[in-house]
Amino acid sequence: MINSENIASILNDYDLENLTIGTLGSHSSLNIFKGAKEEGFKTVCICREKDAILYKKFPLADEVITVQSFAEILSEPLQEKLRKLNTILIPHGSFTAYLGTGQLVEGLMVPMFGNRKLLHWEANRNEQADWLSKAGLRLPLTFEKPEDIDRMVIAKMSGAKGGSGYFLVNSPQSFYKQFSLMVGRGLLREGDIDDIHLQEYIIGVNVYPQFFSSIVKNDVELLGIDRRYESAVDGISKIPAREQLEIETNPSYTIVGNLPLALRESLLPEVLRMGDNVHKKAAELAPPGLVGPFCLETVVTEDLKIFAFEISARIVAGSNIGIGTSPYAYLKYGPGMYMGRRIAMEIREARESGALASILI
Ligand code: AMP
Ligand code: AMP
């Protein structure tokens, strides 16, 4: 298992003036690579053959290592190669989706940007809810078992699945009926029933603020806000209600893309306090708390209450809307700042102040 001593000894062997920023080729990799290049780093992409076209058309990776599956990043020869390149890995949604947090924490002996101890929170919804409520955030109710459902509930699979296989129900009967339908459509498997998380459905609009917790500057910054574009739920409004009823639609929430959002300004103070408080609580749970990007997933109701239903303790793909610029990154840094670049800037500044070990935990 990797610990601070292992990381320190790996860094000892690194040529710190020749660092390479590396990541798996998917999710937010172009964002990460572009930012790394703009801050003067070399880049390495671990890429599946079928995706190689992306890094040919957008040649942002100095080195492309082709693999059959992302799990190969756990192989010793590949890790050795990454260490030879003086690589710092940037984790994103594909790390947790394709590798599992246990493997990441225990099997990956390459310095990784962020606080690994917080990655497992992403997979464990109960611990996550505990963290967010202790940070003073307003959360939707959760229901232990289908029999407890007494209102509109969203049924979710665990982990970073990007909303696929989610469904809405409003009673125990409708839960079992919809679950069978989802299995029938191949969106879920029978065995998934024990992994489903039942959460009160909050009626409102979704708002996903993207934060950056800087250890170097000792500050939590707001760099962007997006909302999601999901299939088929975002297409359903094009079908008149009568036809919806006739075809018994049961749309899911598969993420297809993200849309930028400028939030009503009077909501920003609360959003900023939420970001600060989540980091403060994280610092108590797993010091030094959040390191680098994190995102709160929220719903804002018609009486302007903000409900937080999830946190991602790493870069989110929604920050891709900010590549080049986003209103909030612009307000803070001027043109040309975005999450991928902010990560690289933190690594550069930590290196300059001899504090690299404090951001690779
Ligand atoms: P991918 O490499 O596109 O398969 O994404 C890896 C994981 O991140 C999957 O679990 C996706 O559902 C999730 N993901 C990818 N893009 C987004 C996005 N724009 N918003 C939220 N989740 C995403
Ligand atoms: P997630 O993958 O958890 O980010 O959620 C995917 C989709 O479900 C997003 O469109 C969210 O807005 C929606 N969603 C998730 N949880 C809730 C909730 N408790 N209330 C309302 N919408 C939700």
Side-chain angles (χ1 to χ4, degrees), residues 156 166 199-202 206 228 230 297 309-310:
K156 304 179 171 188
Y166 289 10
Q199 196 173 66
E200 176 187 16
Y201 185 82
I202 307 294
N206 58 47
R228 293 182 164 198
E230 292 158 333
E297 307 190 358
F309 57 85
E310 210 168 310

